[in-house]
Amino acid sequence: MIYAKSSPVETLREHTDALIEQLKLLQKYYGKNINNLDYINKDEFWKLLDIVVEFHDVGKAFSPFQKLIRSNMDIEIDEPKVITDLENNVNHNYISPAFIKYKDLGIKDRELRKVLNQAIVYHHERDKFIDEDFKNLVQKVLDEDLINKIDEIKNDFNIRYSIKEKKLSSSYLDTVEKRIDSKHPYYKLYIMLKGLLHKLDHSASGHELIEVDCDKHIGKYTEEFILNQYDGLRDVQQFAKENTDKNIMLIASTGMGKTETALIWINEDKAFFTLPLRVSINALFDRVGEIKNNNGDVYEYAGLLHSTSIDYLEENNYEDSKQITDLSKLMSKKLTFSTIDQIFKFPFMYKGYEKTYATLSYSKVVIDEIQAYSPEIAAVLIKGLEMIHKIGGKFMIMTATMPTIYIDEMKERGLYDENLATATFNTEKIRHNIVVKDESINENLEEITKLGSNKKVLIIVNTVKSAIEKYEQIEKIIDGNNLDIDLNLLHSMYIQEDRSKLEKAIKNFAKSEKNGIWITTQLVEASLDIDFDILHTEISTLDSLFQRFGRCNRAGKKEIDNPNVYIYTKEAQGIGTIYDEEIVNKGIELLKEYTNGKESLKIKEDDKVKMVEVLYSKENLKNTEFFKKFRKALDILDTMPPYNVSSNDAQKILRNIDTYTVIPREIYNKIDDTLIQEYKDIGEELSIAYKNKDKVLIAKLKDKRRNIRQSITKKTVSVSSYKVRDKRLITDIEVKGLEDLKILEYQYNMDSETLKGKGVLIGEELSQFI
């Protein structure tokens, strides 16, 4: 018998049949979408995919591999031992195509043969250089071993196609030396065959379905929910419903129901919904879970995909949190909420990118708040949209404001065609009465503080340092004047479990009848459904600033005879680092031109959009650093050779950060004798279990260690390396499996019960390290 897996034990036929079952499922639910792709011949495509599935693991018949896999089995098998003098030095994927008899398959086209060979050879991406020595080694394997396995492959594996029998040649390796790229005539077909083989293989190996909940249509749920709650669909939602078969560029005000609009556009399709911040994605995931259809059934079929999604799901008591996470990682969920670093890695064409790219060919992608990303990340998104468009997927961009240079670039890349529907829906309600003050926010803190006794006051600043400073100053004002005002702080420098509690707290506060003050950073800008009475904000770029406006009088139901948004242009931190200084200054000029010397002014939504269009026009941005970064990123992506980076490298580039994941020393000391010690102990138990080849115990211990690791991760925070210039303040954790985490020798200030505290105090080293 030829075996494919040792744990659980699985024969090659069982494993291959598992892929075939997943292929049938894929064809049943998304075959129509795939068949409609203009480069797919539906009669030929599914046959070709079946061929690569049938042959992809035949190389596992190699005797040294069979010897190894049997030695790793945790059950006894009543079969003779495999005897061989050969080494297990050739991976199965490099030898599987040797058996394909293209003549009998009727495949004469040499370029098509090349596609099939590469789909199989590279269904595992390994750093193997295919040279003459390697070809000779493969030929030796074929001549001395695999030629003797023909009957076993025909009978035990029961292969469904005829195979070569008299002589096996390694000549097919000539067709895989030069990787297929976008210039190849069958490039898109190759992406589909290789990408879907990856997807089928990963699903079958993980014993999960390739696609789940395929009949649960979020568009239908959403429309029924809206019609049951309100008078009917809004104009923007009706627009989406009428254009479900098209790509969409939608500019709409905050509070217009953009999320529901996107869900209606998704309709019956598979989709990925992306947002800039995890807190926003978590909030949307929760929100979609409250949508009920006419039968009262809740939509509980969404996936959540970001670096801490499993922690969020478990903290919020979601059932089957591990399965939700696993299926989201496999891209099996019908609707997945995700950060872009999980989805938009494919423009870097990393090793294995075809799986995501092929999945997007029959899916829809929503990009919410594209203006919230850096120019480099925006370039990746636009390049990604171009690639999605070419492979046949659909996209929707929805935003409150859209930089003109992004629109111009999309036009140049052919994205503005007959298949794109564009619309602007801005509320005619005027929600904001603004004051532009040529002052520092610090000069007004006493007045701002007093407002907190009878209003919900939101203060948004540009840096964590500024937020902590304002918190300390307002604390003194409250204490000095014996005021009873609820003061809170939220920024990115809290450990994960404390930040999660604070994010819940600000949402609960916004919904409550309470008054008080929240000081935050731009963390609250994108798609966080909070509504305050008054906003005081440091100046930032106009697009960021107008996003901040959306956290104040969000529904437009509050009176605005008096100003409710105060913008401070002086002494704002983060200008030149977080925000491009030239663009900030150009934005101030536009604001002043708009207010025209008036003390306060009610600002229309249309005017916000127009100002951003002017600010981000090619003429206005010419020679700015912003424009240079945007163009340089696109040039790199356009000329980048495929397979030069790994998936992890692509993810790091997208996250656009050089950070340490750290546990503050005070927190670490509290868990050293508990979680850290437990992790160590289980590591030692695992070593013994591996020596004893006790697979049941290994699986149990790995699961237990994974859970402890998650608990430790909740105690971490990401710190930019530039904030910790003295590397002596970063201490290694010398525990196997935790080497990626560090200890931070800065003070951590937080009472987890009252949720009062400043988080990591950058610059305040622990005394013994000064």
Side-chain angles (χ1 to χ4, degrees):
M1 190 65 68
I2 303 171
Y3 291 93
K5 309 280 181 184
S6 61
S7 182
V9 173
E10 201 170 41
T11 67
L12 183 58
R13 186 69 264 161
E14 287 170 337
H15 173 63
T16 306
D17 284 345
L19 267 76
I20 292 167
E21 285 306 306
Q22 299 306 315
L23 191 157
K24 289 175 183 173
L25 189 71
L26 176 69
Q27 190 173 12
K28 176 182 176 181
Y29 287 108
Y30 296 110
K32 184 179 176 183
N33 299 50
I34 293 170
N35 291 340
N36 285 338
L37 298 172
D38 60 14
Y39 53 89
I40 292 290
N41 177 322
K42 66 180 181 180
D43 296 322
E44 180 185 62
F45 175 75
W46 298 102
K47 173 76 178 296
L48 295 175
L49 185 55
D50 186 69
I51 290 168
V52 296
V53 163
E54 187 71 5
F55 281 94
H56 83 288
D57 271 358
V58 176
K60 285 184 174 180
F62 185 35
S63 294
F65 179 82
Q66 287 299 304
K67 183 178 180 180
L68 175 68
I69 207 163
R70 292 180 192 209
S71 70
N72 287 331
M73 288 179 183
D74 48 14
I75 61 169
E76 293 289 329
I77 55 171
D78 185 21
E79 291 186 45
K81 288 189 175 180
V82 176
I83 299 171
T84 178
D85 294 327
L86 293 171
E87 293 179 57
N88 187 31
N89 55 1
V90 178
N91 296 106
H92 69 274
N93 47 301
Y94 293 108
I95 44 183
S96 292
F99 298 92
I100 301 175
K101 202 170 183 181
Y102 282 114
K103 187 177 178 183
D104 284 8
L105 292 171
I107 300 174
K108 298 177 181 177
D109 187 330
R110 291 188 178 277
E111 291 305 315
L112 187 53
R113 291 183 180 187
K114 183 177 183 179
V115 164
L116 298 185
N117 288 338
Q118 291 209 18
I120 294 170
V121 164
Y122 295 113
H123 83 271
H124 292 294
E125 291 282 0
R126 309 181 196 273
D127 292 324
K128 173 64 70 178
F129 183 64
I130 298 175
D131 56 10
E132 287 306 311
D133 287 342
F134 182 71
K135 291 177 189 175
N136 291 334
L137 177 60
V138 170
Q139 191 61 56
K140 175 182 167 71
V141 165
L142 297 176
D143 290 341
E144 296 183 16
D145 185 73
L146 287 170
I147 192 66
N148 304 316
K149 295 297 186 81
I150 299 298
D151 287 342
E152 201 175 353
I153 292 168
K154 286 169 68 177
N155 300 322
D156 288 355
F157 176 46
N158 194 21
I159 193 160
R160 295 177 297 121
Y161 294 99
S162 60
I163 59 174
K164 292 181 179 178
E165 297 182 46
K166 293 181 180 177
K167 178 167 175 56
L168 301 178
S169 169
S170 63
S171 60
Y172 63 91
L173 289 173
D174 296 339
T175 69
V176 303
E177 281 184 90
K178 184 178 184 300
R179 297 292 297 262
I180 289 171
D181 59 23
S182 58
K183 293 172 185 168
H184 192 276
Y186 297 136
Y187 171 67
K188 287 185 274 192
L189 175 63
Y190 170 68
I191 292 295
M192 295 300 290
L193 291 173
K194 181 174 186 283
L196 292 181
L197 177 58
H198 279 302
K199 194 168 165 65
L200 292 162
D201 200 14
H202 293 165
S203 298
S205 298
H207 300 281
E208 298 283 6
L209 297 177
I210 189 168
E211 299 291 353
V212 297
D213 304 319
C214 302
D215 58 340
K216 308 300 182 186
H217 308 319
I218 187 58
K220 188 171 185 289
Y221 269 76
T222 305
E223 186 171 353
E224 289 178 2
F225 180 73
I226 291 171
L227 294 176
N228 286 330
Q229 297 283 323
Y230 307 101
D231 294 336
L233 297 181
R234 296 181 179 184
D235 290 346
V236 65
Q237 292 157 355
Q238 189 62 40
F239 165 77
K241 185 178 178 180
E242 291 167 2
N243 290 284
T244 56
D245 59 336
K246 292 192 172 184
N247 299 321
I248 285 185
M249 165 66 74
L250 176 66
I251 297 172
S253 310
T254 303
M256 288 285 285
K258 291 202 295 288
T259 299
E260 290 76 12
T261 300
L263 297 177
I264 287 170
W265 172 74
I266 289 168
N267 195 25
E268 298 184 354
D269 287 304
K270 181 180 178 70
F272 298 89
F273 199 126
T274 69
L275 276 161
L277 298 171
R278 284 177 302 190
V279 58
S280 309
I281 293 167
N282 292 339
L284 269 192
F285 178 81
D286 291 340
R287 190 165 150 197
V288 167
E290 295 169 359
I291 292 176
K292 292 181 182 177
N293 64 10
N294 285 339
N295 298 326
D297 298 326
V298 175
Y299 194 86
E300 53 187 5
Y301 312 104
L304 187 65
L305 187 58
H306 58 70
S307 58
T308 59
S309 52
I310 183 72
D311 299 327
Y312 181 79
L313 293 167
E314 289 183 351
E315 284 166 17
N316 289 275
N317 302 313
Y318 278 95
E319 292 181 17
D320 303 323
S321 55
K322 186 176 185 304
Q323 189 177 39
I324 292 172
T325 306
D326 289 346
L327 289 170
S328 299
K329 286 179 179 176
L330 286 168
M331 306 182 82
S332 298
K333 282 286 191 178
K334 182 76 179 281
L335 170 64
T336 304
F337 292 96
S338 172
T339 45
I340 56 146
D341 62 293
Q342 302 287 340
I343 301 297
F344 272 84
K345 295 181 288 182
F346 68 91
F348 294 95
M349 294 178 289
Y350 61 90
K351 292 170 182 174
Y353 80 99
E354 300 92 345
K355 176 183 171 182
T356 299
Y357 196 19
T359 303
L360 294 177
S361 74
Y362 61 91
S363 305
K364 287 179 173 176
V365 176
V366 177
I367 299 179
D368 195 4
E369 311 297 0
I370 192 172
Q371 86 294 334
Y373 296 100
S374 70
E376 297 95 332
I377 302 302
V380 175
L381 293 175
I382 289 171
K383 177 67 178 179
L385 292 177
E386 178 190 11
M387 291 174 69
I388 288 170
H389 189 50
K390 285 180 178 176
I391 201 133
K394 289 189 170 61
F395 66 83
M396 176 184 197
I397 296 177
M398 58 180 195
T399 181
T401 55
M402 182 68 177
T404 313
I405 58 164
Y406 297 168
I407 292 174
D408 291 344
E409 190 62 36
M410 288 173 68
K411 286 177 179 175
E412 286 181 26
R413 290 174 182 267
L415 296 174
Y416 268 68
D417 59 10
E418 69 284 351
N419 199 42
L420 180 73
T422 63
T424 299
F425 289 89
N426 284 325
T427 178
E428 294 188 6
K429 280 183 186 174
I430 298 179
R431 299 178 298 171
H432 303 117
N433 188 340
I434 66 170
V435 175
V436 180
K437 297 175 84 73
D438 278 329
E439 300 171 11
S440 164
I441 197 169
N442 294 329
E443 297 173 44
N444 294 267
L445 288 181
E446 291 233 15
E447 184 183 335
I448 295 169
T449 303
K450 287 170 186 172
L451 286 169
S453 60
N454 57 14
K455 298 279 186 186
K456 291 183 191 294
V457 179
L458 181 62
I459 299 171
I460 304 182
V461 293
N462 299 338
T463 67
V464 173
K465 183 183 177 187
S466 179
I468 293 173
E469 286 173 358
K470 307 298 177 285
Y471 183 79
E472 291 172 340
Q473 289 168 280
I474 292 177
E475 262 189 327
K476 287 178 185 174
I477 294 167
I478 289 172
D479 293 342
N481 292 279
N482 199 26
L483 299 171
D484 181 20
I485 295 174
D486 185 22
L487 176 65
N488 302 275
L489 180 65
L490 171 61
H491 53 68
S492 61
M493 296 296 287
Y494 292 96
I495 62 172
Q496 284 186 25
E497 63 184 7
D498 289 342
R499 177 168 157 180
S500 178
K501 290 175 187 174
L502 286 166
E503 287 167 357
K504 276 185 190 172
I506 193 171
K507 287 190 277 186
N508 291 336
F509 173 86
K511 292 173 186 172
S512 73
E513 299 299 316
K514 292 179 184 176
N515 293 315
I517 301 170
W518 275 81
I519 303 168
T520 74
T521 58
Q522 59 270 41
L523 192 68
V524 300
E525 276 179 28
S527 298
L528 194 60
D529 193 2
I530 55 173
D531 193 357
F532 280 68
D533 300 324
I534 295 177
L535 169 66
H536 291 265
T537 175
E538 288 184 330
I539 191 69
S540 60
T541 55
L542 285 187
D543 49 300
S544 163
L545 200 63
F546 295 151
Q547 283 294 113
R548 295 178 184 188
F549 286 14
R551 311 311 124 194
C552 172
N553 194 20
R554 187 173 175 83
K557 294 178 180 177
K558 299 170 184 176
E559 67 85 16
I560 57 163
D561 290 336
N562 297 310
N564 62 351
V565 175
Y566 294 82
I567 305 155
Y568 300 88
T569 65
K570 299 296 183 187
E571 297 176 20
Q573 294 185 24
I575 308 302
T577 52
I578 295 170
Y579 297 106
D580 186 288
E581 188 170 5
E582 292 171 280
I583 293 176
V584 169
N585 290 334
K586 286 175 185 288
I588 292 171
E589 289 172 20
L590 285 166
L591 272 175
K592 287 183 175 177
E593 188 181 313
Y594 181 76
T595 55
N596 196 25
K598 293 186 177 74
E599 189 173 325
S600 71
L601 184 68
K602 294 176 182 178
I603 185 169
K604 296 176 182 176
E605 298 300 315
D606 283 340
D607 291 339
K608 294 176 190 175
V609 173
K610 285 171 189 170
M611 272 192 268
V612 170
E613 284 176 359
V614 171
L615 177 63
Y616 286 99
S617 64
K618 200 173 283 187
E619 298 74 29
N620 207 31
L621 290 185
K622 202 173 180 183
N623 299 322
T624 64
E625 280 303 307
F626 183 98
F627 187 69
K628 288 174 188 172
K629 287 175 181 176
F630 179 63
R631 282 265 36 109
K632 183 181 178 184
L634 282 169
D635 291 342
I636 290 170
L637 289 164
D638 286 339
T639 56
M640 177 181 280
Y643 312 111
N644 265 25
V645 299
S646 69
S647 176
N648 285 339
D649 290 338
Q651 205 156 6
K652 285 176 186 173
I653 295 167
L654 266 181
R655 285 178 179 165
N656 201 28
I657 48 175
D658 181 14
T659 64
Y660 298 108
T661 302
V662 302
I663 304 173
R665 169 61 71 178
E666 293 144 278
I667 303 294
Y668 183 84
N669 289 345
K670 288 176 184 175
I671 64 171
D672 193 14
D673 294 334
T674 53
L675 291 173
I676 302 294
Q677 190 59 50
E678 285 176 51
Y679 194 89
K680 278 185 197 173
D681 293 344
I682 290 175
E684 290 170 8
E685 290 178 53
L686 257 176
S687 296
I688 296 167
Y690 274 117
K691 281 179 188 173
N692 296 333
K693 296 185 178 179
D694 188 340
K695 295 201 172 179
V696 174
L697 183 58
I698 289 169
K700 185 179 175 183
L701 290 173
K702 283 174 78 174
D703 195 45
K704 191 174 178 184
R705 188 170 68 163
R706 191 184 304 112
N707 290 336
I708 294 172
R709 165 80 191 211
Q710 285 173 10
S711 297
I712 293 170
T713 301
K714 291 174 187 176
K715 310 292 182 183
T716 65
V717 59
S718 292
V719 180
S720 296
S721 57
Y722 77 86
K723 290 184 178 179
V724 192
R725 292 189 176 88
D726 186 348
K727 301 310 177 212
R728 292 175 301 171
L729 298 168
I730 294 284
T731 306
D732 291 334
I733 298 177
E734 295 179 355
V735 176
K736 190 175 180 182
L738 299 178
E739 297 92 343
D740 58 317
L741 307 181
K742 309 290 180 187
I743 302 169
L744 181 68
E745 310 294 353
Y746 281 136
Q747 291 183 27
Y748 185 72
N749 176 261
M750 186 63 177
D751 183 331
S752 294
E753 296 300 316
T754 63
L755 297 185
K756 302 296 181 184
K758 304 167 195 172
V760 174
L761 301 178
I762 294 295
E764 296 191 27
E765 297 93 343
L766 296 173
S767 57
Q768 66 266 39
F769 292 94
I770 292 176

